[in-house]
Amino acid sequence: MVFFALLANAPSISAEKSKKTVPAKESRISAFEVTEGDRTFIELREAAKRNDVARSQTLAASLSNYPYDDYVAYFRIKPQLFDSAGGARADSNADSQVMAFLNQYQGTALADRMRNDWLLVLGKRKDWTRFDIEYPKFVLDDDTPVKCYSLQSKLAQGENPAKVGIDARAILLDPRYFGQACQELVPALVSAGGITPSEAKAIGRAASEMGFDTMSRRLGGEDPIADVVKAAKADPAKAYKDFLQNASRYSKENQAVAWGVIGQFLAKKLDPNADDAYRLQQELGYNELLSTEGQEWKVRAGLRAKDWTLVKNAIEGMNPAVRSKDPAWTYWYARALKVDGQNEKARESLELVADQYNFYGQLAREDLGKSNHAPARTKVSDAEIEVMASRKGFIRGERLYAMNLRFEGNREWNWELRNMSDKQLLASAEYAKRIGLYDRVVNTADRTKQEHDFSLRYPTPYRDELSPIAKQIDLNLAWAYGLIRQESRFIMNASSSVGASGLMQVMPNTAKYVAKKIGMTTYTNDKLSDTNTNLTLGSNYLNMVLVDLDGSWVLASAAYNAGPSRSKSWREKLTSPTEGAIFAETIPFNETRTYVKNVLANATYYSSVMHGQSQSLKQRLGVITPKAAIASELP
């Protein structure tokens, strides 16, 4: 469980990036012997991460016969493309080495990674001729700065600025990933007439909302409501009162965006005035100038206040790219339409997400009167599974996992999955299960579109250990598995950046507390990596927070991730009984909000897989009633 020391408006931490893992004990990869060459290779990888050119060259030279020759070459070349701060080097003279690498390893995951790196260098140089040759070959195309360089190239070559501006609006959503490329693109678009100065200031304001003030000025120049943004971040309640008195000093546009910023930060504090601030913004207009966070929290403020008119208006006013990236907005739009009496349109909206197996897909199916039963199982043959044992990406991935190079292992594994049919994906997932890579079982089975096997999407390893523990304390087994799937993806020795570890990601201090409470007198923190100990302590703690939070799975799941006191504080700030889905969607912490929704959606399908019966997510969510926060001794 990861307890936060972050502000409510802090950026979400990606679980995939924040967890450092080693192989689970049951995995076949534990049988691999890590050689001296492997240890040198790992050292080379670390030198390459630091962009230490000299050290990388020395280590690479000592690995002339190492079997992963492509990685050795990549780790030798890559530091020549970036400076010590991670910025692309326009003066890099490694072009011939890059081209030779791309030619030799064409079609591999690592070649695509190298092309990504080189595109950043070419963009930094403004070498648009070569950039435009290489960019179409970038398969993953998942790098925001590269996308921004591609738009810079289009501008430089005379493409219609208005069209480039349309493409830019779909990309410039999260300033955390802008880099230098996007910071250059925005003012260039303004100069070319592709976006307005007001839009540029809005993009800059989004950066300022996240604390990137220098970036903000580069993007949009001086912001006429910079003082309001600063005040709203520091004390939104005071900013709200002050702006009520001072709003007339600003233009209509600036009043609107100021109310949007104030509304966002009030909403993140669960302040009821967020609804009022956003309604004032709605009356003035300029929805398109709100940041992504501002647009999303406008919906949440309306949900919290049960202001369905605001919910509907907020979603209709969203940037299409923002609206389409999360099924939440399609679902809540349907709910708002239903309140408005537009039942047929509401049904049409629900149908758009009802075929998805996520939190909102489940809710949509229930609203449509459909079943949340796990779909029929598609079986694969032993022959189909055995074929996967010879796939190059899987073989390489296993070896990299054995060296605890999970990032590289995942790259190889996921690259192998490209263009696979559903049956092939299921065979790959079953193969991963046979060799004990349960995180790859889940990741791979999750990708199927038409044919499914939910026993692979929602596997139950360690059941012999977990079942008796859950039974002894009367803990719902499906919920416990739903939480483990979210916490660790069944990687026994997963550890978070804040010290949580094991299948249930238990914090050391929490483990000591629980061990004392349940009479585990021989417990020491070095035992937290033991499977049975970790499951015992995590399960007992989960049960403790459930009792402490009146049996609410929503509140207890949130408490397991962010701490009991925060769960209680969020409940205390409710003004009336609130359906669990709304409570979950309005949790202030990004990671905890996603976590709670995923854990409960997981639990629904785990229950279906275990019992073969249709399950209700809404029943699990329940209704959350306001209650004064009473402190407990639970950590």
Side-chain angles (χ1 to χ4, degrees):
M1 71 211 92
V2 181
F3 293 130
F4 289 95
L6 302 176
L7 296 175
N9 60 326
S12 171
I13 302 173
S14 165
E16 183 81 3
K17 292 180 180 178
S18 68
K19 293 201 173 143
K20 297 179 181 178
T21 59
V22 295
K25 293 179 182 178
E26 291 75 4
S27 174
R28 190 177 76 181
I29 60 177
S30 61
F32 284 100
E33 179 185 355
V34 177
T35 67
E36 189 61 35
D38 293 336
R39 284 186 277 272
T40 302
F41 177 71
I42 293 168
E43 189 178 352
L44 168 61
R45 182 234 198 195
E46 293 306 305
K49 284 176 65 177
R50 299 190 303 271
N51 294 318
D52 185 336
V53 176
R55 186 62 177 156
S56 296
Q57 299 278 5
T58 299
L59 291 168
S62 72
L63 289 168
S64 57
N65 296 317
Y66 193 71
Y68 284 75
D69 58 321
D70 54 346
Y71 274 93
V72 172
Y74 174 77
F75 289 144
R76 175 178 55 79
I77 297 168
K78 180 256 182 182
Q80 301 175 57
L81 305 180
F82 299 93
D83 59 32
S84 59
R89 294 183 52 180
D91 61 349
S92 170
N93 58 4
D95 290 19
S96 60
Q97 297 177 62
V98 171
M99 287 304 300
F101 184 96
L102 293 175
N103 289 330
Q104 182 174 357
Y105 301 109
Q106 182 178 2
T108 66
L110 202 53
D112 205 52
R113 175 67 253 181
M114 177 66 84
R115 179 165 279 110
N116 187 167
D117 295 338
W118 198 34
L119 284 167
L120 292 171
V121 172
L122 295 175
K124 181 73 175 287
R125 288 181 190 165
K126 310 301 186 227
D127 183 350
W128 303 129
T129 299
R130 188 171 292 185
F131 182 97
D132 289 344
I133 292 171
E134 295 299 325
Y135 183 49
K137 302 175 188 176
F138 180 24
V139 177
L140 293 185
D141 194 17
D142 58 353
D143 189 292
T144 300
V146 168
K147 292 177 188 290
C148 283
Y149 276 136
S150 75
L151 297 183
Q152 283 194 46
S153 177
K154 290 179 179 180
L155 281 179
Q157 296 176 67
E159 186 160 323
N160 184 347
K163 185 179 184 302
V164 177
I166 291 171
D167 293 339
R169 292 181 188 96
I171 293 171
L172 298 169
L173 301 179
D174 192 336
R176 290 174 297 176
Y177 307 111
F178 280 6
Q180 179 180 336
C182 301
Q183 293 181 59
E184 294 173 350
L185 173 64
V186 172
L189 275 170
V190 174
S191 296
I195 63 173
T196 67
S198 291
E199 288 178 299
K201 291 189 185 304
I203 297 167
R205 191 175 302 117
S208 181
E209 290 172 5
M210 292 183 174
F212 306 129
D213 293 334
T214 300
M215 182 194 298
S216 175
R217 288 188 289 273
R218 289 173 182 163
L219 290 164
E222 292 300 324
D223 185 359
I225 65 159
D227 56 335
V228 180
V229 176
K230 183 178 180 180
K233 288 164 60 179
D235 187 345
K238 184 177 185 300
Y240 171 76
K241 293 177 182 177
D242 289 347
F243 203 69
L244 281 172
Q245 303 298 319
N246 301 323
S248 61
R249 290 162 37 186
Y250 295 82
S251 69
K252 180 180 177 182
E253 175 185 317
N254 289 332
Q255 286 183 54
V257 293
W259 281 124
V261 172
I262 292 168
Q264 175 193 159
F265 287 99
L266 285 170
K268 289 177 179 178
K269 294 288 188 181
L270 305 181
D271 189 316
N273 284 324
D275 183 63
D276 291 329
Y278 272 125
R279 282 194 290 106
L280 288 166
Q281 178 273 314
Q282 181 65 33
E283 291 171 5
L284 292 164
Y286 300 97
N287 295 302
E288 71 280 3
L289 298 183
L290 301 184
S291 66
T292 297
E293 286 270 284
Q295 292 177 43
E296 293 177 340
W297 277 102
K298 185 176 180 179
V299 181
R300 296 186 185 117
L303 289 172
R304 190 90 175 182
K306 301 178 179 61
D307 183 347
W308 292 101
T309 300
L310 183 66
V311 170
K312 180 174 177 290
N313 290 337
I315 296 172
E316 288 177 343
M318 275 183 161
N319 177 335
V322 175
R323 184 173 177 176
S324 64
K325 75 175 183 175
D326 191 334
W329 316 130
T330 302
Y331 175 78
W332 290 119
Y333 187 61
R335 291 283 303 275
L337 288 171
K338 187 173 182 179
V339 171
D340 197 38
Q342 301 183 59
N343 293 334
E344 187 54 39
K345 287 186 176 180
R347 172 173 286 276
E348 291 172 3
S349 190
L350 290 171
E351 291 284 4
L352 293 174
V353 294
D355 62 345
Q356 299 179 23
Y357 295 110
N358 51 41
F359 182 82
Y360 282 110
Q362 291 184 28
L363 289 179
R365 280 193 297 280
E366 288 195 47
D367 284 353
L368 291 166
K370 298 181 179 181
S371 168
N372 267 328
H373 199 289
R377 180 185 180 190
T378 297
K379 296 183 180 180
V380 291
S381 67
D382 285 342
E384 289 172 308
I385 297 166
E386 288 166 6
V387 167
M388 298 305 160
S390 62
R391 301 287 290 236
K392 182 178 180 181
F394 296 162
I395 295 169
R396 287 164 62 85
E398 284 185 67
R399 191 72 185 91
L400 291 163
Y401 291 136
M403 289 185 277
N404 194 26
L405 303 181
R406 185 158 290 275
F407 181 85
E408 286 78 9
N410 289 349
R411 173 191 288 142
E412 294 291 338
W413 188 280
N414 293 341
W415 186 263
E416 197 68 41
L417 301 179
R418 293 177 310 113
N419 304 318
M420 279 191 177
S421 68
D422 283 352
K423 288 288 290 288
Q424 289 175 311
L425 289 170
L426 293 176
S428 300
E430 187 63 52
Y431 173 68
K433 180 180 178 181
R434 292 185 179 186
I435 62 175
L437 286 172
Y438 287 103
D439 66 312
R440 293 303 96 193
V441 175
V442 173
N443 173 277
T444 304
D446 252 348
R447 295 169 181 250
T448 60
K449 304 297 184 184
Q450 302 296 329
E451 298 181 273
H452 309 288
D453 182 349
F454 270 39
S455 70
L456 295 172
R457 280 202 191 197
Y458 300 93
T460 55
Y462 314 102
R463 192 161 182 173
D464 289 345
E465 294 93 337
L466 182 57
S467 290
I469 296 168
K471 185 176 181 180
Q472 183 179 12
I473 60 177
D474 196 26
L475 180 69
N476 185 277
L477 187 62
W479 182 36
Y481 265 113
L483 183 137
I484 295 169
R485 186 183 190 268
Q486 184 64 22
E487 283 283 2
S488 66
R489 280 292 197 267
F490 304 103
I491 303 170
M492 179 59 226
N493 292 337
S495 61
S496 79
S497 58
V498 295
S501 63
L503 288 171
M504 297 192 74
Q505 290 291 278
V506 184
M507 294 285 285
N509 288 340
T510 301
K512 288 180 180 178
Y513 171 87
V514 176
K516 182 177 180 180
K517 283 292 183 181
I518 65 175
M520 191 183 285
T521 56
T522 61
Y523 174 76
T524 52
N525 278 341
D526 62 305
K527 297 179 180 179
L528 196 50
S529 61
D530 173 72
T531 302
N532 194 69
T533 301
N534 193 277
L535 291 173
T536 298
L537 296 175
S539 296
N540 274 275
Y541 183 73
L542 182 58
N543 195 50
M544 289 175 185
V545 295
L546 180 65
V547 172
D548 190 45
L549 287 157
D550 306 317
S552 168
W553 284 14
V554 174
L555 293 171
S557 297
Y560 196 92
N561 182 260
S565 63
R566 290 195 175 95
S567 231
K568 291 179 178 181
S569 172
W570 298 334
R571 175 178 62 178
E572 183 179 46
K573 291 180 180 179
L574 291 171
T575 57
S576 62
T578 299
E579 61 179 278
I582 290 178
F583 185 92
E585 184 55 53
T586 58
I587 289 173
F589 291 163
N590 292 341
E591 185 173 335
T592 305
R593 182 171 58 254
T594 300
Y595 176 93
V596 169
K597 291 188 289 188
N598 286 345
V599 166
L600 294 177
N602 291 347
T604 302
Y605 281 127
Y606 265 115
S607 187
S608 178
V609 169
M610 290 174 177
H611 305 298
Q613 298 175 346
S614 179
Q615 303 293 322
S616 170
L617 174 58
K618 287 193 173 186
Q619 184 178 341
R620 283 176 164 76
L621 291 167
V623 174
I624 313 297
T625 302
K627 183 178 180 180
I630 300 173
S632 73
E633 64 175 19
L634 288 175

